[in-house]
Amino acid sequence: MDDFITLTYNGKELQLPVITGSEGEKAIDISRLRAETGFITLDPGYGNTGSCLSSITFMDGEKGILRYRGIPVEQLAEHASFKETAYLLINGRLPNRDELTQFSVMLNDNSLVHTDLKAFYQNFPRGSHPMGILSSMVNAMKSFYPDLGNQEEEMTLTMTRLLAKVRTMAAMSYKISRGHEIVLPRPDLTYCENFLNMMFDTPVKPYEIKREAVNALRTFWILHADHEQNCSTSAVRVVGSARVNLYAAISSGISALWGPLHGGANQAVIEMLSKIESGSESCAQVIARAKDKNDPFRLMGFGHRVYKTYDPRAQIMKRMCDELLESMNIKDPLLDIARELEELATKDSYFIDHNLYPNVDFYSGIVLRAIGIPTNMFTVMFAIGRLPGWIAQWKESTDDPNWKISRPRQIYTGNLEYDYIPIHAR
Ligand code: ACO
């Protein structure tokens, strides 16, 4: 196995070290490239650029593999709780019984939200998108929860606060948007049960916690818990690299996730399916538009930067969607439309040639609808699920002794130097 790649340029040679990951993936270490040669690399969108070494999540986009800390996501989705998965991602291993109990107690103890934070909600204009609100609220948390002084204790508490309070804040925002009383978290409920109860319990109609809904939410959150160096996680790492506080770094991740090409795709998929249901476009027309290079439209919930086969999360999501709707006796016309679109796309040479398959967002909205989550909250649901991953990635980057501030370079293509012209002479 080569330990170096030789770069030949201008009649000279440079030996660039080869880095091999634990699953055999390879990188050329170019960190000395500019100093030695004056060249930089250019890789818009970073499709070929590794930004870090990481031991959190492994993905193989060709084989459709996803593992958290080495454990296949399929096994976690089948057997683990979301809390265990969060612990695993953040601490690098599964908790034992005592550790899990202690983690649960900490989450419960930190699940209330400072009452003054509620005032923020009241002042957002009606109709504000919950992702914009969540991003602002998380950033504001730094002002409400002062530093403890002890760095390690502080970090554990900040991470726990985020996991516990973001869930409460998300449910609060829904209640406030409806003009309903806020429902407080209950220590006797699990992480997922608590969220559903805070969302849907009302004084006139107590929420009946259904096992199927809880299980669907647990699976949804586990499937979203981490996905290595995606757009929002990279935002968390890049912003965090300036040594900003964790709340601010997570807030930037939430903003990045909001975009329709990323986490916002779950809302965009439902909007696309609803448009077809309304009769304004047929499935065939939507497929034709997605293929038309003169139309910016893309088939939402299809395609992925890394997966060039079926996203393993989408496979689990699709199966769960079928089982959930059947067990809850729900007939959702959007599921039939999604199936029809998938069938048309997977037989179409454009989608085959471009390796475009359903991603995690294609069926997830139908799952969320079935458990009663409103469409504009879908990406917030993704954000709650992704929190453990963002926290784990931030922690890994801040613990890295070789950590540097993120600062890419560029190739300048603008004007050459010229003199300022006074306004009267222009
Ligand atoms: N519909 C139609 N064509 C597509 C789609 C799509 N959903 N996705 C990619 N393509 C085409 C592009 O037009 C391009 O075609 P060309 O090479 O003929 O010009 C080719 O496939 C490659 O596309 P890129 O944009 O270069 O691929 P990239 O890896 O940068 O994009 C992305 C990945 C953003 C996810 C893209 O597939 C997309 O826009 N999908 C729809 C939005 C979506 O579902 N996002 C959620 C992703 S999962 C997540 O973030 C949680």
Side-chain angles (χ1 to χ4, degrees), residues 82-83 104 106-113 121 134 138 141 160-173 183-187 189-196 198-199 217 221 377 380-381 383-384 387:
F82 180 61
K83 251 185 293 198
S104 300
M106 276 190 81
L107 287 170
N108 277 330
D109 287 353
N110 286 284
S111 57
L112 289 174
V113 170
Y121 287 112
L134 189 67
V138 168
M141 282 174 76
T160 316
R161 273 181 183 142
L162 272 163
L163 290 168
K165 292 187 201 302
V166 165
R167 178 195 56 170
T168 308
M169 283 170 10
M172 268 170 74
S173 68
V183 176
L184 295 177
R186 278 176 31 195
L189 299 181
T190 66
Y191 193 89
C192 298
E193 288 170 349
N194 235 324
F195 177 77
L196 292 171
M198 285 191 280
M199 285 282 289
L217 181 57
W221 276 342
M377 286 282 289
V380 168
M381 302 302 291
I384 302 173
L387 260 183

Side-chain angles (χ1 to χ4, degrees), residues 44-45 47 224 227 230-232 257 259-266 268-269 286-287 289-293 295-308 311 313 350-351 353-362 382 386:
H224 286 81
H227 216 221
N230 56 81
C231 177
S232 56
L257 189 72
L261 296 191
H262 191 16
N266 59 11
V269 168
V286 165
I287 294 285
R289 279 184 63 206
K291 297 192 302 182
D292 181 355
K293 291 295 170 202
D295 188 331
F297 173 77
R298 287 184 165 199
L299 187 59
M300 299 314 288
F302 261 69
H304 197 273
R305 171 61 64 80
V306 180
Y307 293 124
K308 297 304 162 206
D311 179 339
R313 305 166 302 171
Y350 173 90
F351 290 87
D353 295 347
H354 284 79
N355 292 319
L356 298 171
Y357 297 88
N359 59 49
V360 69
D361 293 318
F362 195 64
F382 190 151
R386 184 52 57 86

